[in-house]
Amino acid sequence: HRRYERNASSSAIDIDHDGNEVPADLDERDQVSVAFGTGEIVGEFSQETVCLTPGVASESGAGNGSLSSAAECTRVRVVFATEMTEEPFSAFEFDGVLGLGLQALALDPEFSFMGQISRLNTLMDASFGVFVSSSDDVASEITFGGHDARRVSGELQWANVHNPELGYWQLQIRGIKVGGEPVELCEAGDCIAIADTGTSLLGVPKQAAQHVHWLLARNVDGNPDELDCRGHPGPEIEFDLGDFVVTLGPEEYSRPAGLRVVTNATNETQFICRAQLLPVDEAPALGNKAWILGEPVLRKYYTAYDWAGSRIGFAPAVQPEVDPESPRTHRVVGAPPAELPTPTVVYI
């Protein structure tokens, strides 16, 4: 970890899986294995003070367990990884994972950062807001204790979490339309959608993915040499969340590069713009009708997460103006090339 060293912390306490303190130099410690989507870690348990303002712990005595004068701090259990699978973690630049799901997903209530904020920090609202930037020149942000009014256009519209006992930030979908056409899979009103900052695409149930791809594909006249499909007109996707509708346009869901299809028999060529979709497999807890509202939705909409009230708020995001004179305060990793994408060519 590049910003934290366990042995340099005066507030960290090594514990076993039950929360009992153990000597720091103990050779054999309780361990836990945590599985992610495509990888796994093994780690040991500790308890630590986490503060949202630099220097607060040392100034307030929070490092000794006193939180009375540190509204920005809380005590939380953490897992320090001792082993990680090569895939996918060797490709990642971040140093850790801050789990912000509902309490059911935590190993123990004291592992839940928002749960601890809710129980121990009554002066701070148990909620947070997420802003996903559309430009590498502006950093994405997370706000604790409420939402950032500068990043929203209009009032937040709220939808209750569906089955909060599962631990996911998931919503009931009343219906979905693509280009005005209802998606048959969700016509009964029993599809769900999970808001997830860790998913870079729009997730579609596997059984409906091919059909949705067809609905979103569009021919481009003139067979252009190059084209950014995010700027080419296309149908909207509408998610009916009950009291309001969340919409996505082609600028949010399209692959940048088009597909050039050449028919060998006639030498005819078609240029097709397509969507970027993530097929979502059936899962025991979520069933086979789960959509994932990943970055395409979270860039267009600022989202607020009311942990105490189990609800999610949506409002159109306000992307700030880029000041070319301001120094960059963040680091960009894996930025796509600036030039227009090259179309993929397929011969049939």
Side-chain angles (χ1 to χ4, degrees):
H1 201 291
R2 288 165 285 194
R3 301 188 64 181
Y4 176 85
E5 185 177 346
R6 161 65 186 86
N7 294 333
S9 173
S10 61
S11 56
I13 299 173
D14 293 317
I15 57 175
D16 62 16
H17 75 284
D18 289 325
N20 301 312
E21 186 174 351
V22 297
D25 57 354
L26 195 66
D27 291 333
E28 293 189 8
R29 296 269 308 278
D30 287 349
Q31 293 184 323
V32 64
S33 174
V34 181
F36 295 87
T38 55
E40 185 177 8
I41 67 136
V42 175
E44 299 172 343
F45 305 101
S46 287
Q47 188 178 63
E48 182 59 287
T49 298
V50 179
C51 297
L52 299 175
T53 302
V56 168
S58 58
E59 294 169 6
S60 66
N64 296 320
S66 172
L67 297 176
S68 58
S69 59
E72 302 91 343
C73 299
T74 193
R75 293 290 288 176
V76 66
R77 295 187 196 178
V78 296
V79 175
F80 291 133
T82 57
E83 301 175 29
M84 293 187 291
T85 54
E86 187 75 12
E87 294 292 334
F89 297 105
S90 62
F92 291 157
E93 290 288 328
F94 55 76
D95 289 322
V97 176
L98 175 63
L100 294 174
L102 297 171
Q103 188 159 299
L105 290 180
L107 291 171
D108 180 273
E110 291 189 21
F111 282 98
S112 170
F113 176 69
M114 291 305 301
Q116 290 295 87
I117 287 284
S118 177
R119 283 186 291 273
L120 302 178
N121 300 68
T122 55
L123 297 178
M124 181 183 292
D125 187 53
S127 66
F128 60 95
V130 173
F131 165 77
V132 179
S133 175
S134 62
S135 168
D136 286 339
D137 294 318
V138 176
S140 298
E141 301 165 348
I142 184 167
T143 302
F144 291 97
H147 72 277
D148 190 343
R150 301 172 303 167
R151 299 288 183 254
V152 298
S153 173
E155 296 293 320
L156 288 165
Q157 299 185 80
W158 295 92
N160 291 327
V161 172
H162 180 64
N163 291 338
E165 66 275 6
L166 296 179
Y168 300 101
W169 290 104
Q170 69 173 5
L171 304 170
Q172 184 87 47
I173 299 178
R174 304 293 178 85
I176 297 176
K177 293 181 180 179
V178 177
E181 177 183 331
V183 175
E184 184 178 356
L185 180 69
C186 301
E187 284 190 299
D190 55 352
C191 283
I192 61 170
I194 299 173
D196 182 22
T197 59
T199 300
S200 58
L201 304 176
L202 175 67
V204 179
K206 197 169 187 177
Q207 59 180 314
Q210 185 177 25
H211 178 59
V212 175
H213 267 297
W214 278 109
L215 293 176
L216 296 175
R218 58 254 191 227
N219 286 322
V220 180
D221 294 334
N223 188 25
D225 291 333
E226 55 184 25
L227 174 74
D228 188 337
C229 282
R230 292 170 295 188
H232 188 74
E236 286 193 334
I237 309 173
E238 303 172 53
F239 297 90
D240 182 356
L241 299 181
D243 295 331
F244 61 97
V245 174
V246 166
T247 64
L248 285 184
E251 63 272 24
E252 285 92 32
Y253 63 69
S254 293
R255 295 174 183 263
L259 177 69
R260 198 184 310 279
V261 180
V262 180
T263 304
N264 289 323
T266 62
N267 205 32
E268 293 181 345
T269 301
Q270 285 182 302
F271 192 101
I272 300 172
C273 284
R274 302 168 294 162
Q276 285 193 114
L277 303 176
L278 174 69
V280 179
D281 290 321
E282 181 176 356
L286 302 176
N288 61 355
K289 296 186 178 184
W291 299 64
I292 299 179
L293 307 183
E295 285 186 26
V297 175
L298 304 182
R299 271 195 302 269
K300 184 174 183 179
Y301 291 90
Y302 186 100
T303 47
Y305 302 82
D306 182 353
W307 199 93
S310 293
R311 57 181 189 156
I312 306 176
F314 292 79
V318 174
Q319 298 286 339
E321 294 290 332
V322 177
D323 183 357
E325 302 299 322
S326 296
R328 209 180 245 180
T329 58
H330 61 286
R331 187 166 62 100
V332 177
V333 177
E339 59 269 15
L340 282 175
T342 302
T344 302
V345 180
V346 175
Y347 294 89
I348 57 173

